[in-house]
Amino acid sequence: MSNVWESVEPRVYESQIKVPYAWQAGETASRFLLTLKNEKKFLGKKCPKCAKVLMPPRKVCPYCFVETGDWVDVSDEGVIETFTVARRDTGIMPLKPPFVYAVIRLDGADTGLVHLLGEIEPGAVRAGMRVKAVFAEERTGKILDVEHFKPV
Amino acid sequence: MARRAAIVATGQTHHRSIRRDVNGQEIINEAVTRCLEDGELTIDDIDAVVIGNMDHFEGINYVDCWSVDGSGGFMKPTMKLTTGGTTGSTLAIAGYHMVASGAFDKVLVIGWEKNSESDTTGAINTAFDPIWDRPFFAGAIAGLAVTAQSYMDMYGATPKDAARVSVRDRRHACLNPHAHLRKEVTIEEVLASPMLADPVCLLDMCPRTDGACAVVYAAEGIAEKLCPQPAWVLGVASRHMYSYVSDADFSGGALFSMARASQELYRKVGIKEPLKEIDVIELYQPFSWAGLIWIEDMGLAKKGEGPRLVWDGVTDLGGALPINPSGGVISTNCIGATALIRSAEIALQIQGKAGDRQVPDVNLGVATGFGGCLWTDTLAYGKKKPE
Ligand SMILES: [Zn+2]
């Protein structure tokens, strides 16, 4: 490979694919997101077979492969299952590093939620800590209507 | 009853961070040509081609058509498979199934990536759910770091334990002429390298690599004629997991798909004591911590005791069960090829063709694949044709 470039220079063809998407959240996620926006409340869906409360809510339980049943209220407080401090900017991050990215299990839910932690030094975060949702002033019906979770 | 099948030929590029001298089709061709030479085959001997890489990494969707110059798939049954990190092991399992089913006698399987040609994190982001996971996606590293954090919290393992894994694999890589990063490191150097996502440092992590790997699976009755020592497939097992990242049970950082897939593999192959019976493992280990946690999930050590096995040197070349004699994924990561390289390296070990990284007298080797929302493939290969 050493002398390949003696008689020719490398040509690099630069390009970018830009495709707009419009993802449908579906009825189940839409109900959750609108309740989050309008009432600052989390809703889960309970599986009639395994009795797990799924939050984020699903139309179908992935474990049992049956349609989920009742909507149930889930607390805006919960516990940090695990976390990491993202320190290197990958260019597509929700915040400027360093910031804390955590899996939070809200009281009343049996599955976790990926979200951000705020109002705490990254070095002080521990698994098992209790946290509470901090809602954005302006809410538009998306999961980032919760700005972050903060320690209680 | 399925036919037995074996790997009869393998080929790899000399993996590098960037290959400016070849385009995508040409890097594929390099691996295919080396594979055919290894098996003393020509493209006319090949009945079907299966090829794979990561979606969006090169921005080319019809890779099965586009790659024909490189793959030799012109006027042959050719298809593309892509399953994220497990792409290479999915390819291997598909090639095996196509031969074992009786549909094809000789199948050429190709994994490749020109990782240098795009933004890896931007491309990986497209694998995740746009409504729930993508707003928070902090890159593959953060997703792995949370499992390491859980493991530390539950078992008291330390970054030094993980660094020992990195030292092992990077030392092994120096013996493999195909490896991308071939430089020994010390534990102190690993610990002093930049923190990417706590507790994972730069030298704990895999690189981005340009490279390709090709393998030929052949049916019993043909494999023995083509090759003095076929690497027989003894069994394969695959387990997929969740839709969303947060569905995973992070307690202790365990990889449940690995535990389940390993248990099924051992049952199929008849392995009772994996630590004693397996001679070599090529583990799809994207970061050093996986070399502690996942060997526990494979049943090689009790929960929390992975670090001791590593510190005792059991998994070093020269130890009782060498892991990643090739240098593994943290030395070479051309992603669509990565999990296929695991199978190719096990085949070389069984054939006694692994050069300076050869483990003596390999009768049973295991290759794994890992991907996406924490799913796992496992494949066992043996020297003797299975009963
Ligand atoms: Zn259920």
Side-chain angles (χ1 to χ4, degrees), chain B residues 248-259:
Chain B
D249 178 351
F250 286 101
S251 55
L255 183 57
F256 296 109
S257 62
M258 171 64 98

Side-chain angles (χ1 to χ4, degrees), chain A residues 1 58 82 84-85 87 101 112, chain B residues 146 150 196-198 244 246-247:
Chain A
M1 280 204 301
R58 321 284 180 80
T82 187
T84 186
V85 187
R87 294 191 185 271
Y101 161 90
Chain B
V146 294
S150 286
L196 303 178
D198 301 26
Y244 305 144
S246 55
D247 284 348

Side-chain angles (χ1 to χ4, degrees), chain B residues 101-338:
Chain B
S101 69
F104 300 96
D105 287 339
K106 284 158 283 169
V107 174
L108 173 64
V109 171
I110 308 160
W112 71 283
E113 212 75 67
K114 284 209 86 183
N115 228 326
S116 67
E117 293 188 348
S118 79
D119 167 19
T120 303
T121 299
I124 287 184
N125 191 31
T126 64
F128 292 89
D129 186 84
I131 291 162
W132 301 109
D133 281 339
R134 234 183 267 191
F136 307 106
F137 187 70
I141 300 167
L144 293 169
V146 294
T147 69
Q149 190 71 47
S150 286
Y151 182 70
M152 275 206 309
D153 288 345
M154 185 164 289
Y155 299 108
T158 66
K160 198 172 170 186
D161 296 331
R164 176 64 176 78
V165 176
S166 183
V167 167
R168 176 196 72 201
D169 284 5
R170 293 178 194 284
R171 185 183 297 149
H172 291 172
C174 296
L175 303 171
N176 177 5
H178 294 280
H180 167 192
L181 300 175
R182 302 178 67 206
K183 188 170 179 291
E184 286 205 40
V185 296
T186 64
I187 284 172
E188 292 69 31
E189 284 169 333
V190 178
L191 295 174
S193 65
M195 185 69 81
L196 303 178
D198 301 26
V200 180
C201 296
L202 181 68
L203 287 175
D204 288 313
M205 235 16 246
C206 57
R208 310 190 317 161
T209 305
D210 282 2
C213 177
V215 167
V216 174
Y217 286 86
E220 60 180 325
I222 296 162
E224 301 91 325
K225 291 184 189 125
L226 289 175
C227 176
Q229 178 58 69
W232 294 99
V233 180
L234 305 181
V236 301
S238 182
R239 285 290 179 274
H240 267 62
M241 300 265 274
Y242 308 107
S243 289
Y244 305 144
V245 173
S246 55
D247 284 348
D249 178 351
F250 286 101
S251 55
L255 183 57
F256 296 109
S257 62
M258 171 64 98
R260 296 285 179 85
S262 300
Q263 285 157 12
E264 188 189 330
L265 185 78
Y266 299 161
R267 187 180 55 73
K268 281 178 169 168
V269 179
I271 297 170
K272 302 221 158 42
E273 294 181 86
L275 182 62
K276 281 191 190 150
E277 293 172 53
I278 301 169
D279 298 312
V280 60
I281 295 171
E282 279 286 338
L283 182 68
Y284 191 117
Q285 179 203 290
F287 72 140
S288 59
W289 289 84
L292 304 172
I293 307 171
W294 299 356
I295 62 174
E296 297 172 8
D297 298 322
M298 288 183 85
L300 305 179
K302 289 194 188 119
K303 290 285 178 192
E305 294 183 6
R308 189 188 303 168
L309 200 70
V310 170
W311 281 108
D312 286 350
V314 173
T315 65
D316 295 340
L317 263 174
L321 174 48
I323 296 180
N324 299 337
S326 69
V329 183
I330 62 176
S331 304
T332 304
N333 190 28
C334 24
I335 305 186
T338 297

Side-chain angles (χ1 to χ4, degrees), chain A residues 4-5 22 32 38 74 94 100 106 108-109 111 130 145:
Chain A
V4 167
W5 303 118
F32 170 91
N38 297 330
V74 169
V100 185
L106 295 178
T111 57
R130 291 198 58 81
D145 283 357

Side-chain angles (χ1 to χ4, degrees), chain A residues 97-115:
Chain A
F99 68 90
V100 185
Y101 161 90
V103 178
I104 296 154
R105 185 165 304 204
L106 295 178
D107 298 342
D110 291 302
T111 57
L113 175 73
V114 180
H115 219 289

